[in-house]
Amino acid sequence: MTRFGKRRARLLKLAREAGADGLLVSNLSNVTYLTGFTGDSSHLLITSRDTVLVSDFRYITQIDEECPDLRTHIRPNTTLLRDAVIEVVTATKARRLAIEGDSFTIADYNHLREKLPRLEILLSSGLVEGLRQIKDKEEIAAIREAVRIAERSFGVLRATLRPKHTEKELADDLEHQLRLEGAQSSSFPPIVAAGARAALPHARPTGTAIGGEDLLLVDWGASANGYKSDLTRVLVTGRISPKLERVYGVVLRAQEQAIAAIRPGKTGREIDAIARGVIADAGFGKYFGHGLGHGIGLDIHELPRLSGTNERPLEAGMVITVEPGIYLPGWGGVRIEDDVLVTKQGHEVLTSCPKQIADAVVAN
């Protein structure tokens, strides 16, 4: 059985435990995880009797290349995806079908109820996402490659940084460099924020030149073989003021202490509280308003979460970001982010970009 077949078997077991005959998968990242198929406009039906990928003409050859062992239902261009799904579900004679409540639209749900009134529909949440939290060797290797590509690209950006460059120019150059280094794409549009604009956690790059500012926040990542990396570093482009040194030191200390505590059995809430406590004790608690981190994989944000709401214990194979930050309106912000693999013994930091403040100084 292929790795995808094993994933589908685990999922079917979960669906049965939830009282369903099978699951209709509509989240495209989940479809990819379960099949290897990377196209769109497709659903996957998994039951005890059969597994069928419902797709269309555009992907016939791609499906044959990516998942040749999978049975498919190729809908004609005169049939909507929702109606093709009705045909496939009817053929399976399923009585109780789970659907992904987080991605299945209300319109499609109502259509399914109307066309198959005898079908009992169960709303599920997080069945596939729960499986995706634990990465296998191939997934971890892909994330490692995404990290390596991101770090090489950042090295080029740092070496070519000049005061005349604008935030947008640097973001565009970074995306280009990621592709030159082998990425399929960037994990997300890079965040490049100079000076006071670094107080915006998700700042959009503008035409603001970085010259004359003391700091530059860069948040970026690469996508390799479908898997993402996610890093943040702050570069010192001016002088290291006492305030910058203090804020940077607090954030770094918060991150280091949180990472040191990562191991199986610790909850996301506990890890988040460690970093949050360091920042609060330094008097900056109200300036750290987002969660400490999140899982990465096929999506840039996925389970598990390092936040005050996550009581699930960490497990070996999870890959998470650790990214505390302090954001001071009118002054700027500091965020330091690394990607961390939870191991049986504890953890492994996958990223290696230097992050001491002395290492952050760039010569212009």
Side-chain angles (χ1 to χ4, degrees), residues 1-16 21-23 25 30-37 43-53 63 66-72 127-128 131-132:
M1 184 182 292
T2 67
R3 58 197 285 247
F4 299 109
K6 292 177 181 177
R7 291 172 180 175
R8 296 194 295 269
R10 289 195 293 268
L11 176 62
L12 183 57
K13 181 181 178 181
L14 293 175
R16 286 173 174 169
D21 300 327
L23 174 69
V25 182
N30 289 345
V31 172
T32 298
Y33 177 77
L34 295 165
T35 66
F37 174 62
H43 287 358
L44 181 71
L45 180 66
I46 301 176
T47 69
S48 56
R49 294 188 178 189
D50 206 355
T51 297
V52 184
L53 180 65
I63 292 170
E66 294 180 337
C67 40
D69 64 319
L70 204 61
R71 194 167 82 79
T72 59
L127 289 183
V128 185
L131 294 175
R132 284 171 52 189

Side-chain angles (χ1 to χ4, degrees), residues 27-94:
N27 179 299
L28 288 173
S29 292
N30 289 345
V31 172
T32 298
Y33 177 77
L34 295 165
T35 66
F37 174 62
T38 59
D40 56 20
S41 303
S42 303
H43 287 358
L44 181 71
L45 180 66
I46 301 176
T47 69
S48 56
R49 294 188 178 189
D50 206 355
T51 297
V52 184
L53 180 65
V54 184
S55 193
D56 61 66
F57 171 82
R58 295 171 297 168
Y59 297 115
I60 292 176
T61 300
Q62 184 174 336
I63 292 170
D64 188 54
E65 292 175 348
E66 294 180 337
C67 40
D69 64 319
L70 204 61
R71 194 167 82 79
T72 59
H73 177 92
I74 303 300
R75 63 183 175 88
N77 61 8
T78 54
T79 301
L80 297 174
L81 176 59
R82 62 174 60 171
D83 291 319
V85 166
I86 298 293
E87 294 177 28
V88 174
V89 172
T90 300
T92 66
K93 299 182 180 179

Side-chain angles (χ1 to χ4, degrees), residues 157 166-176 189-192 205:
L157 176 139
T166 68
E167 295 171 341
K168 186 176 185 307
E169 286 173 339
L170 291 172
D172 292 345
D173 288 346
L174 184 53
E175 281 201 84
H176 181 223
I191 298 168
V192 179

